[in-house]
Amino acid sequence: MSTPQEIVFEPGKFYDVTVKDVTEACVNFNETFDVPELYSNAGTNVNVTCGRCKKPMVIISATLLDPQPEMP
Ligand SMILES: [Zn+2]
């Protein structure tokens, strides 16, 4: 298994990300999920939490949205 590449987020941007649940006890274990609009906050603390186990999921890919969605 290869080491996932570290993803660098620009601050204050929206990304389309794919995440994977890595919590073995969770029904979602090893499932991947698409998050079409994830905000990067400061760009340093980007987390997606599993809706079932409430644990952070691993971000396996991220694409900067172009154009960026309008702020609500
Ligand atoms: Zn989970």
Side-chain angles (χ1 to χ4, degrees), residues 21 23 26-29 50 52-55 57:
D21 194 299
T23 303
C26 182
V27 293
N28 288 339
F29 179 59
C50 175
R52 303 300 287 272
C53 66
K54 313 295 183 198
K55 299 266 171 47
M57 296 199 277

Side-chain angles (χ1 to χ4, degrees), residues 16-34:
D16 179 347
V17 302
T18 303
V19 295
K20 184 176 174 180
D21 194 299
V22 293
T23 303
E24 277 187 59
C26 182
V27 293
N28 288 339
F29 179 59
N30 265 341
E31 298 261 1
T32 57
F33 300 89
D34 184 57

Side-chain angles (χ1 to χ4, degrees), residues 33-53:
F33 300 89
D34 184 57
V35 184
E37 280 188 22
L38 179 70
Y39 191 62
S40 67
N41 299 306
T44 51
N45 198 9
V46 183
N47 287 306
V48 179
T49 306
C50 175
R52 303 300 287 272
C53 66

